[in-house]
Amino acid sequence: MKKFIITILAVFSVTGIYAQTYEFKIVTSVESIVPGGLGRSRVIENNEERDFSPVMASNAGRQKDTKSRKENKAENFKETNLLNFYSMVGINFQNIASNDAILSSMLNAYAQEGRELAFVSSGVESDAGKDDGSGIFITRYVFKRKKE
């Protein structure tokens, strides 16, 4: 019985050590898919903490709650310029390599801050209809680190 109690206490203390809470940071890259280099490509980083609960609305009240949406817009954020996927002659592979170098630098900087890349989510938006000349390639990088 004594060994059982010691084992249970050890399990709970180890569980308490590993049950850390994390803080998360999301960084978004938006790369333009517009021929001729006319688009805008950026890495966007939010520098403000926000509480989601004031803007959370029930399904019934969602349409009426425009004031809180306007108040929730971030004023303090960083933009890092990226190059567009397309130039006047088509896909520009040098631009893609340059963007990769910038994004790698960003990933390395966050790793040095103790952040771990937890998730990556990406997608493409384009209507792809006749004479489609626009779209974006968006990637969200979700970083986590243990709260201090």
Side-chain angles (χ1 to χ4, degrees):
M1 182 68 176
K2 193 177 192 181
K3 286 182 183 180
F4 177 74
I5 292 174
I6 291 173
T7 304
I8 294 295
L9 288 174
V11 167
F12 281 119
S13 41
V14 168
T15 305
I17 292 170
Y18 289 108
Q20 303 280 333
T21 55
Y22 291 93
E23 62 180 7
F24 292 89
K25 179 171 184 75
I26 299 173
V27 177
T28 302
S29 66
V30 180
E31 296 175 273
S32 177
I33 306 172
V34 177
L38 300 174
R40 293 176 20 190
S41 297
R42 304 279 190 274
V43 175
I44 307 297
E45 298 179 57
N46 177 34
N47 292 330
E48 297 179 4
E49 291 295 322
R50 292 294 172 130
D51 180 11
F52 74 95
S53 54
V55 294
M56 181 183 251
S58 68
N59 203 18
R62 185 171 49 201
Q63 298 301 322
K64 299 175 186 174
D65 196 15
T66 56
K67 181 179 178 186
S68 64
R69 280 190 242 164
K70 290 177 184 173
E71 290 174 354
N72 199 42
K73 286 196 175 207
E75 299 292 330
N76 186 9
F77 63 94
K78 285 193 260 183
E79 289 184 45
T80 303
N81 288 332
L82 294 175
L83 301 170
N84 296 328
F85 279 167
Y86 286 98
S87 64
M88 293 303 282
V89 294
I91 296 174
N92 189 320
F93 295 105
Q94 186 177 17
N95 286 2
I96 294 170
S98 298
N99 289 352
D100 287 351
I102 290 170
L103 292 168
S104 294
S105 174
M106 177 195 73
L107 292 170
N108 288 328
Y110 282 126
Q112 288 177 350
E113 290 179 8
R115 296 182 189 273
E116 177 185 337
L117 184 61
F119 307 100
V120 177
S121 176
S122 62
V124 176
E125 185 284 319
S126 180
D127 79 16
K130 185 179 178 193
D131 299 324
D132 180 28
S134 64
I136 59 170
F137 184 79
I138 187 168
T139 305
R140 287 218 161 97
Y141 303 88
V142 180
F143 297 93
K144 72 177 184 178
R145 73 175 170 192
K146 291 181 182 175
K147 264 189 173 174
E148 296 177 7

mmCIF file with all atom_site columns, all heavy atoms in Angstrom, residues 50-72:
data_model
loop_
_atom_site.group_PDB
_atom_site.id
_atom_site.type_symbol
_atom_site.label_atom_id
_atom_site.label_alt_id
_atom_site.label_comp_id
_atom_site.label_asym_id
_atom_site.label_entity_id
_atom_site.label_seq_id
_atom_site.pdbx_PDB_ins_code
_atom_site.Cartn_x
_atom_site.Cartn_y
_atom_site.Cartn_z
_atom_site.occupancy
_atom_site.B_iso_or_equiv
_atom_site.pdbx_formal_charge
_atom_site.auth_seq_id
_atom_site.auth_comp_id
_atom_site.auth_asym_id
_atom_site.auth_atom_id
_atom_site.pdbx_PDB_model_num
ATOM 1   N N   . ARG A 1 50 ? -5.086  40.672 -27.440 1.00 0.00 ? 50 ARG A N   1
ATOM 2   C CA  . ARG A 1 50 ? -6.528  40.885 -27.571 1.00 0.00 ? 50 ARG A CA  1
ATOM 3   C C   . ARG A 1 50 ? -7.285  39.819 -26.814 1.00 0.00 ? 50 ARG A C   1
ATOM 4   O O   . ARG A 1 50 ? -6.869  38.670 -26.764 1.00 0.00 ? 50 ARG A O   1
ATOM 5   C CB  . ARG A 1 50 ? -6.952  40.833 -29.047 1.00 0.00 ? 50 ARG A CB  1
ATOM 6   C CG  . ARG A 1 50 ? -6.450  41.967 -29.881 1.00 0.00 ? 50 ARG A CG  1
ATOM 7   C CD  . ARG A 1 50 ? -7.090  43.249 -29.394 1.00 0.00 ? 50 ARG A CD  1
ATOM 8   N NE  . ARG A 1 50 ? -6.506  44.389 -30.042 1.00 0.00 ? 50 ARG A NE  1
ATOM 9   C CZ  . ARG A 1 50 ? -7.228  45.328 -30.623 1.00 0.00 ? 50 ARG A CZ  1
ATOM 10  N NH1 . ARG A 1 50 ? -8.524  45.254 -30.642 1.00 0.00 ? 50 ARG A NH1 1
ATOM 11  N NH2 . ARG A 1 50 ? -6.623  46.362 -31.156 1.00 0.00 ? 50 ARG A NH2 1
ATOM 12  N N   . ASP A 1 51 ? -8.410  40.217 -26.275 1.00 0.00 ? 51 ASP A N   1
ATOM 13  C CA  . ASP A 1 51 ? -9.325  39.283 -25.643 1.00 0.00 ? 51 ASP A CA  1
ATOM 14  C C   . ASP A 1 51 ? -10.455 39.025 -26.630 1.00 0.00 ? 51 ASP A C   1
ATOM 15  O O   . ASP A 1 51 ? -11.116 39.962 -27.083 1.00 0.00 ? 51 ASP A O   1
ATOM 16  C CB  . ASP A 1 51 ? -9.859  39.882 -24.344 1.00 0.00 ? 51 ASP A CB  1
ATOM 17  C CG  . ASP A 1 51 ? -10.823 38.956 -23.614 1.00 0.00 ? 51 ASP A CG  1
ATOM 18  O OD1 . ASP A 1 51 ? -10.930 37.768 -23.995 1.00 0.00 ? 51 ASP A OD1 1
ATOM 19  O OD2 . ASP A 1 51 ? -11.476 39.430 -22.676 1.00 0.00 ? 51 ASP A OD2 1
ATOM 20  N N   . PHE A 1 52 ? -10.674 37.782 -26.972 1.00 0.00 ? 52 PHE A N   1
ATOM 21  C CA  . PHE A 1 52 ? -11.691 37.451 -27.969 1.00 0.00 ? 52 PHE A CA  1
ATOM 22  C C   . PHE A 1 52 ? -13.107 37.561 -27.425 1.00 0.00 ? 52 PHE A C   1
ATOM 23  O O   . PHE A 1 52 ? -14.052 37.762 -28.181 1.00 0.00 ? 52 PHE A O   1
ATOM 24  C CB  . PHE A 1 52 ? -11.468 36.042 -28.524 1.00 0.00 ? 52 PHE A CB  1
ATOM 25  C CG  . PHE A 1 52 ? -11.850 34.950 -27.562 1.00 0.00 ? 52 PHE A CG  1
ATOM 26  C CD1 . PHE A 1 52 ? -13.102 34.361 -27.628 1.00 0.00 ? 52 PHE A CD1 1
ATOM 27  C CD2 . PHE A 1 52 ? -10.973 34.508 -26.588 1.00 0.00 ? 52 PHE A CD2 1
ATOM 28  C CE1 . PHE A 1 52 ? -13.468 33.356 -26.753 1.00 0.00 ? 52 PHE A CE1 1
ATOM 29  C CE2 . PHE A 1 52 ? -11.320 33.512 -25.710 1.00 0.00 ? 52 PHE A CE2 1
ATOM 30  C CZ  . PHE A 1 52 ? -12.569 32.936 -25.791 1.00 0.00 ? 52 PHE A CZ  1
ATOM 31  N N   . SER A 1 53 ? -13.287 37.475 -26.106 1.00 0.00 ? 53 SER A N   1
ATOM 32  C CA  . SER A 1 53 ? -14.643 37.378 -25.558 1.00 0.00 ? 53 SER A CA  1
ATOM 33  C C   . SER A 1 53 ? -15.520 38.605 -25.826 1.00 0.00 ? 53 SER A C   1
ATOM 34  O O   . SER A 1 53 ? -16.719 38.429 -26.051 1.00 0.00 ? 53 SER A O   1
ATOM 35  C CB  . SER A 1 53 ? -14.611 37.040 -24.070 1.00 0.00 ? 53 SER A CB  1
ATOM 36  O OG  . SER A 1 53 ? -13.822 37.953 -23.366 1.00 0.00 ? 53 SER A OG  1
ATOM 37  N N   . PRO A 1 54 ? -15.018 39.860 -25.848 1.00 0.00 ? 54 PRO A N   1
ATOM 38  C CA  . PRO A 1 54 ? -15.931 40.969 -26.140 1.00 0.00 ? 54 PRO A CA  1
ATOM 39  C C   . PRO A 1 54 ? -16.498 40.935 -27.563 1.00 0.00 ? 54 PRO A C   1
ATOM 40  O O   . PRO A 1 54 ? -17.564 41.489 -27.808 1.00 0.00 ? 54 PRO A O   1
ATOM 41  C CB  . PRO A 1 54 ? -15.068 42.219 -25.954 1.00 0.00 ? 54 PRO A CB  1
ATOM 42  C CG  . PRO A 1 54 ? -13.949 41.799 -25.100 1.00 0.00 ? 54 PRO A CG  1
ATOM 43  C CD  . PRO A 1 54 ? -13.709 40.358 -25.417 1.00 0.00 ? 54 PRO A CD  1
ATOM 44  N N   . VAL A 1 55 ? -15.813 40.320 -28.499 1.00 0.00 ? 55 VAL A N   1
ATOM 45  C CA  . VAL A 1 55 ? -16.313 40.292 -29.871 1.00 0.00 ? 55 VAL A CA  1
ATOM 46  C C   . VAL A 1 55 ? -17.008 38.985 -30.214 1.00 0.00 ? 55 VAL A C   1
ATOM 47  O O   . VAL A 1 55 ? -17.525 38.835 -31.305 1.00 0.00 ? 55 VAL A O   1
ATOM 48  C CB  . VAL A 1 55 ? -15.185 40.581 -30.901 1.00 0.00 ? 55 VAL A CB  1
ATOM 49  C CG1 . VAL A 1 55 ? -14.698 41.998 -30.743 1.00 0.00 ? 55 VAL A CG1 1
ATOM 50  C CG2 . VAL A 1 55 ? -14.069 39.582 -30.768 1.00 0.00 ? 55 VAL A CG2 1
ATOM 51  N N   . MET A 1 56 ? -17.001 38.065 -29.276 1.00 0.00 ? 56 MET A N   1
ATOM 52  C CA  . MET A 1 56 ? -17.715 36.809 -29.501 1.00 0.00 ? 56 MET A CA  1
ATOM 53  C C   . MET A 1 56 ? -19.210 37.076 -29.353 1.00 0.00 ? 56 MET A C   1
ATOM 54  O O   . MET A 1 56 ? -19.634 37.716 -28.410 1.00 0.00 ? 56 MET A O   1
ATOM 55  C CB  . MET A 1 56 ? -17.270 35.749 -28.495 1.00 0.00 ? 56 MET A CB  1
ATOM 56  C CG  . MET A 1 56 ? -17.930 34.416 -28.676 1.00 0.00 ? 56 MET A CG  1
ATOM 57  S SD  . MET A 1 56 ? -17.392 33.293 -27.392 1.00 0.00 ? 56 MET A SD  1
ATOM 58  C CE  . MET A 1 56 ? -16.387 32.219 -28.342 1.00 0.00 ? 56 MET A CE  1
ATOM 59  N N   . ALA A 1 57 ? -19.963 36.650 -30.326 1.00 0.00 ? 57 ALA A N   1
ATOM 60  C CA  . ALA A 1 57 ? -21.407 36.895 -30.297 1.00 0.00 ? 57 ALA A CA  1
ATOM 61  C C   . ALA A 1 57 ? -22.143 35.600 -30.569 1.00 0.00 ? 57 ALA A C   1
ATOM 62  O O   . ALA A 1 57 ? -21.635 34.706 -31.232 1.00 0.00 ? 57 ALA A O   1
ATOM 63  C CB  . ALA A 1 57 ? -21.779 37.942 -31.351 1.00 0.00 ? 57 ALA A CB  1
ATOM 64  N N   . SER A 1 58 ? -23.349 35.535 -30.070 1.00 0.00 ? 58 SER A N   1
ATOM 65  C CA  . SER A 1 58 ? -24.174 34.385 -30.390 1.00 0.00 ? 58 SER A CA  1
ATOM 66  C C   . SER A 1 58 ? -24.605 34.498 -31.849 1.00 0.00 ? 58 SER A C   1
ATOM 67  O O   . SER A 1 58 ? -24.525 35.557 -32.464 1.00 0.00 ? 58 SER A O   1
ATOM 68  C CB  . SER A 1 58 ? -25.390 34.341 -29.476 1.00 0.00 ? 58 SER A CB  1
ATOM 69  O OG  . SER A 1 58 ? -26.246 35.424 -29.775 1.00 0.00 ? 58 SER A OG  1
ATOM 70  N N   . ASN A 1 59 ? -25.092 33.435 -32.382 1.00 0.00 ? 59 ASN A N   1
ATOM 71  C CA  . ASN A 1 59 ? -25.548 33.426 -33.774 1.00 0.00 ? 59 ASN A CA  1
ATOM 72  C C   . ASN A 1 59 ? -26.632 34.466 -34.005 1.00 0.00 ? 59 ASN A C   1
ATOM 73  O O   . ASN A 1 59 ? -26.669 35.126 -35.037 1.00 0.00 ? 59 ASN A O   1
ATOM 74  C CB  . ASN A 1 59 ? -26.038 32.023 -34.142 1.00 0.00 ? 59 ASN A CB  1
ATOM 75  C CG  . ASN A 1 59 ? -25.988 31.784 -35.624 1.00 0.00 ? 59 ASN A CG  1
ATOM 76  O OD1 . ASN A 1 59 ? -25.307 32.497 -36.351 1.00 0.00 ? 59 ASN A OD1 1
ATOM 77  N ND2 . ASN A 1 59 ? -26.711 30.780 -36.071 1.00 0.00 ? 59 ASN A ND2 1
ATOM 78  N N   . ALA A 1 60 ? -27.503 34.663 -33.035 1.00 0.00 ? 60 ALA A N   1
ATOM 79  C CA  . ALA A 1 60 ? -28.609 35.610 -33.189 1.00 0.00 ? 60 ALA A CA  1
ATOM 80  C C   . ALA A 1 60 ? -28.117 37.056 -33.184 1.00 0.00 ? 60 ALA A C   1
ATOM 81  O O   . ALA A 1 60 ? -28.643 37.901 -33.892 1.00 0.00 ? 60 ALA A O   1
ATOM 82  C CB  . ALA A 1 60 ? -29.625 35.403 -32.074 1.00 0.00 ? 60 ALA A CB  1
ATOM 83  N N   . GLY A 1 61 ? -27.095 37.371 -32.386 1.00 0.00 ? 61 GLY A N   1
ATOM 84  C CA  . GLY A 1 61 ? -26.647 38.757 -32.264 1.00 0.00 ? 61 GLY A CA  1
ATOM 85  C C   . GLY A 1 61 ? -25.487 39.119 -33.161 1.00 0.00 ? 61 GLY A C   1
ATOM 86  O O   . GLY A 1 61 ? -24.985 40.231 -33.116 1.00 0.00 ? 61 GLY A O   1
ATOM 87  N N   . ARG A 1 62 ? -25.042 38.214 -33.986 1.00 0.00 ? 62 ARG A N   1
ATOM 88  C CA  . ARG A 1 62 ? -23.827 38.426 -34.763 1.00 0.00 ? 62 ARG A CA  1
ATOM 89  C C   . ARG A 1 62 ? -23.945 39.590 -35.735 1.00 0.00 ? 62 ARG A C   1
ATOM 90  O O   . ARG A 1 62 ? -23.041 40.394 -35.858 1.00 0.00 ? 62 ARG A O   1
ATOM 91  C CB  . ARG A 1 62 ? -23.459 37.145 -35.505 1.00 0.00 ? 62 ARG A CB  1
ATOM 92  C CG  . ARG A 1 62 ? -22.155 37.260 -36.234 1.00 0.00 ? 62 ARG A CG  1
ATOM 93  C CD  . ARG A 1 62 ? -21.685 35.951 -36.771 1.00 0.00 ? 62 ARG A CD  1
ATOM 94  N NE  . ARG A 1 62 ? -22.748 35.292 -37.500 1.00 0.00 ? 62 ARG A NE  1
ATOM 95  C CZ  . ARG A 1 62 ? -22.782 33.998 -37.743 1.00 0.00 ? 62 ARG A CZ  1
ATOM 96  N NH1 . ARG A 1 62 ? -21.817 33.244 -37.314 1.00 0.00 ? 62 ARG A NH1 1
ATOM 97  N NH2 . ARG A 1 62 ? -23.754 33.464 -38.419 1.00 0.00 ? 62 ARG A NH2 1
ATOM 98  N N   . GLN A 1 63 ? -25.039 39.733 -36.434 1.00 0.00 ? 63 GLN A N   1
ATOM 99  C CA  . GLN A 1 63 ? -25.182 40.773 -37.448 1.00 0.00 ? 63 GLN A CA  1
ATOM 100 C C   . GLN A 1 63 ? -25.277 42.171 -36.851 1.00 0.00 ? 63 GLN A C   1
ATOM 101 O O   . GLN A 1 63 ? -24.930 43.144 -37.492 1.00 0.00 ? 63 GLN A O   1
ATOM 102 C CB  . GLN A 1 63 ? -26.409 40.495 -38.329 1.00 0.00 ? 63 GLN A CB  1
ATOM 103 C CG  . GLN A 1 63 ? -26.309 39.195 -39.101 1.00 0.00 ? 63 GLN A CG  1
ATOM 104 C CD  . GLN A 1 63 ? -25.100 39.154 -40.024 1.00 0.00 ? 63 GLN A CD  1
ATOM 105 O OE1 . GLN A 1 63 ? -24.738 40.139 -40.639 1.00 0.00 ? 63 GLN A OE1 1
ATOM 106 N NE2 . GLN A 1 63 ? -24.451 38.002 -40.089 1.00 0.00 ? 63 GLN A NE2 1
ATOM 107 N N   . LYS A 1 64 ? -25.755 42.285 -35.623 1.00 0.00 ? 64 LYS A N   1
ATOM 108 C CA  . LYS A 1 64 ? -25.962 43.593 -35.009 1.00 0.00 ? 64 LYS A CA  1
ATOM 109 C C   . LYS A 1 64 ? -24.703 44.129 -34.340 1.00 0.00 ? 64 LYS A C   1
ATOM 110 O O   . LYS A 1 64 ? -24.656 45.292 -33.982 1.00 0.00 ? 64 LYS A O   1
ATOM 111 C CB  . LYS A 1 64 ? -27.082 43.489 -33.966 1.00 0.00 ? 64 LYS A CB  1
ATOM 112 C CG  . LYS A 1 64 ? -28.415 43.074 -34.553 1.00 0.00 ? 64 LYS A CG  1
ATOM 113 C CD  . LYS A 1 64 ? -29.432 42.881 -33.463 1.00 0.00 ? 64 LYS A CD  1
ATOM 114 C CE  . LYS A 1 64 ? -30.719 42.332 -34.038 1.00 0.00 ? 64 LYS A CE  1
ATOM 115 N NZ  . LYS A 1 64 ? -31.687 42.005 -33.016 1.00 0.00 ? 64 LYS A NZ  1
ATOM 116 N N   . ASP A 1 65 ? -23.681 43.323 -34.172 1.00 0.00 ? 65 ASP A N   1
ATOM 117 C CA  . ASP A 1 65 ? -22.524 43.682 -33.352 1.00 0.00 ? 65 ASP A CA  1
ATOM 118 C C   . ASP A 1 65 ? -21.375 44.239 -34.188 1.00 0.00 ? 65 ASP A C   1
ATOM 119 O O   . ASP A 1 65 ? -20.260 43.769 -34.100 1.00 0.00 ? 65 ASP A O   1
ATOM 120 C CB  . ASP A 1 65 ? -22.078 42.443 -32.561 1.00 0.00 ? 65 ASP A CB  1
ATOM 121 C CG  . ASP A 1 65 ? -21.148 42.812 -31.421 1.00 0.00 ? 65 ASP A CG  1
ATOM 122 O OD1 . ASP A 1 65 ? -21.084 43.999 -31.071 1.00 0.00 ? 65 ASP A OD1 1
ATOM 123 O OD2 . ASP A 1 65 ? -20.497 41.907 -30.897 1.00 0.00 ? 65 ASP A OD2 1
ATOM 124 N N   . THR A 1 66 ? -21.610 45.274 -34.987 1.00 0.00 ? 66 THR A N   1
ATOM 125 C CA  . THR A 1 66 ? -20.553 45.834 -35.829 1.00 0.00 ? 66 THR A CA  1
ATOM 126 C C   . THR A 1 66 ? -19.632 46.749 -35.049 1.00 0.00 ? 66 THR A C   1
ATOM 127 O O   . THR A 1 66 ? -18.474 46.900 -35.402 1.00 0.00 ? 66 THR A O   1
ATOM 128 C CB  . THR A 1 66 ? -21.148 46.621 -37.014 1.00 0.00 ? 66 THR A CB  1
ATOM 129 O OG1 . THR A 1 66 ? -22.014 47.629 -36.494 1.00 0.00 ? 66 THR A OG1 1
ATOM 130 C CG2 . THR A 1 66 ? -21.911 45.701 -37.949 1.00 0.00 ? 66 THR A CG2 1
ATOM 131 N N   . LYS A 1 67 ? -20.101 47.376 -33.984 1.00 0.00 ? 67 LYS A N   1
ATOM 132 C CA  . LYS A 1 67 ? -19.255 48.285 -33.205 1.00 0.00 ? 67 LYS A CA  1
ATOM 133 C C   . LYS A 1 67 ? -18.065 47.537 -32.610 1.00 0.00 ? 67 LYS A C   1
ATOM 134 O O   . LYS A 1 67 ? -16.933 47.985 -32.711 1.00 0.00 ? 67 LYS A O   1
ATOM 135 C CB  . LYS A 1 67 ? -20.073 48.942 -32.091 1.00 0.00 ? 67 LYS A CB  1
ATOM 136 C CG  . LYS A 1 67 ? -19.256 49.900 -31.266 1.00 0.00 ? 67 LYS A CG  1
ATOM 137 C CD  . LYS A 1 67 ? -20.087 50.543 -30.186 1.00 0.00 ? 67 LYS A CD  1
ATOM 138 C CE  . LYS A 1 67 ? -19.221 51.452 -29.338 1.00 0.00 ? 67 LYS A CE  1
ATOM 139 N NZ  . LYS A 1 67 ? -19.931 51.990 -28.207 1.00 0.00 ? 67 LYS A NZ  1
ATOM 140 N N   . SER A 1 68 ? -18.290 46.376 -32.012 1.00 0.00 ? 68 SER A N   1
ATOM 141 C CA  . SER A 1 68 ? -17.193 45.654 -31.382 1.00 0.00 ? 68 SER A CA  1
ATOM 142 C C   . SER A 1 68 ? -16.193 45.141 -32.417 1.00 0.00 ? 68 SER A C   1
ATOM 143 O O   . SER A 1 68 ? -15.016 45.044 -32.139 1.00 0.00 ? 68 SER A O   1
ATOM 144 C CB  . SER A 1 68 ? -17.719 44.504 -30.525 1.00 0.00 ? 68 SER A CB  1
ATOM 145 O OG  . SER A 1 68 ? -18.371 43.554 -31.326 1.00 0.00 ? 68 SER A OG  1
ATOM 146 N N   . ARG A 1 69 ? -16.637 44.856 -33.629 1.00 0.00 ? 69 ARG A N   1
ATOM 147 C CA  . ARG A 1 69 ? -15.704 44.430 -34.681 1.00 0.00 ? 69 ARG A CA  1
ATOM 148 C C   . ARG A 1 69 ? -14.757 45.564 -35.043 1.00 0.00 ? 69 ARG A C   1
ATOM 149 O O   . ARG A 1 69 ? -13.574 45.359 -35.223 1.00 0.00 ? 69 ARG A O   1
ATOM 150 C CB  . ARG A 1 69 ? -16.462 43.965 -35.920 1.00 0.00 ? 69 ARG A CB  1
ATOM 151 C CG  . ARG A 1 69 ? -16.977 42.557 -35.770 1.00 0.00 ? 69 ARG A CG  1
ATOM 152 C CD  . ARG A 1 69 ? -17.498 42.084 -37.084 1.00 0.00 ? 69 ARG A CD  1
ATOM 153 N NE  . ARG A 1 69 ? -18.912 41.819 -36.901 1.00 0.00 ? 69 ARG A NE  1
ATOM 154 C CZ  . ARG A 1 69 ? -19.767 41.673 -37.863 1.00 0.00 ? 69 ARG A CZ  1
ATOM 155 N NH1 . ARG A 1 69 ? -19.400 41.796 -39.102 1.00 0.00 ? 69 ARG A NH1 1
ATOM 156 N NH2 . ARG A 1 69 ? -21.020 41.411 -37.601 1.00 0.00 ? 69 ARG A NH2 1
ATOM 157 N N   . LYS A 1 70 ? -15.300 46.774 -35.156 1.00 0.00 ? 70 LYS A N   1
ATOM 158 C CA  . LYS A 1 70 ? -14.450 47.921 -35.470 1.00 0.00 ? 70 LYS A CA  1
ATOM 159 C C   . LYS A 1 70 ? -13.469 48.200 -34.344 1.00 0.00 ? 70 LYS A C   1
ATOM 160 O O   . LYS A 1 70 ? -12.317 48.539 -34.581 1.00 0.00 ? 70 LYS A O   1
ATOM 161 C CB  . LYS A 1 70 ? -15.305 49.149 -35.754 1.00 0.00 ? 70 LYS A CB  1
ATOM 162 C CG  . LYS A 1 70 ? -16.079 49.054 -37.044 1.00 0.00 ? 70 LYS A CG  1
ATOM 163 C CD  . LYS A 1 70 ? -16.978 50.257 -37.246 1.00 0.00 ? 70 LYS A CD  1
ATOM 164 C CE  . LYS A 1 70 ? -17.807 50.076 -38.493 1.00 0.00 ? 70 LYS A CE  1
ATOM 165 N NZ  . LYS A 1 70 ? -18.806 51.141 -38.633 1.00 0.00 ? 70 LYS A NZ  1
ATOM 166 N N   . GLU A 1 71 ? -13.919 48.083 -33.119 1.00 0.00 ? 71 GLU A N   1
ATOM 167 C CA  . GLU A 1 71 ? -13.047 48.325 -31.972 1.00 0.00 ? 71 GLU A CA  1
ATOM 168 C C   . GLU A 1 71 ? -11.970 47.261 -31.842 1.00 0.00 ? 71 GLU A C   1
ATOM 169 O O   . GLU A 1 71 ? -10.940 47.498 -31.220 1.00 0.00 ? 71 GLU A O   1
ATOM 170 C CB  . GLU A 1 71 ? -13.876 48.369 -30.683 1.00 0.00 ? 71 GLU A CB  1
ATOM 171 C CG  . GLU A 1 71 ? -14.749 49.585 -30.561 1.00 0.00 ? 71 GLU A CG  1
ATOM 172 C CD  . GLU A 1 71 ? -15.655 49.523 -29.345 1.00 0.00 ? 71 GLU A CD  1
ATOM 173 O OE1 . GLU A 1 71 ? -15.688 48.484 -28.657 1.00 0.00 ? 71 GLU A OE1 1
ATOM 174 O OE2 . GLU A 1 71 ? -16.346 50.525 -29.095 1.00 0.00 ? 71 GLU A OE2 1
ATOM 175 N N   . ASN A 1 72 ? -12.173 46.106 -32.408 1.00 0.00 ? 72 ASN A N   1
ATOM 176 C CA  . ASN A 1 72 ? -11.225 45.016 -32.259 1.00 0.00 ? 72 ASN A CA  1
ATOM 177 C C   . ASN A 1 72 ? -10.101 45.039 -33.297 1.00 0.00 ? 72 ASN A C   1
ATOM 178 O O   . ASN A 1 72 ? -9.221  44.218 -33.261 1.00 0.00 ? 72 ASN A O   1
ATOM 179 C CB  . ASN A 1 72 ? -11.951 43.669 -32.315 1.00 0.00 ? 72 ASN A CB  1
ATOM 180 C CG  . ASN A 1 72 ? -11.106 42.574 -31.719 1.00 0.00 ? 72 ASN A CG  1
ATOM 181 O OD1 . ASN A 1 72 ? -10.471 42.764 -30.689 1.00 0.00 ? 72 ASN A OD1 1
ATOM 182 N ND2 . ASN A 1 72 ? -11.069 41.440 -32.371 1.00 0.00 ? 72 ASN A ND2 1
#
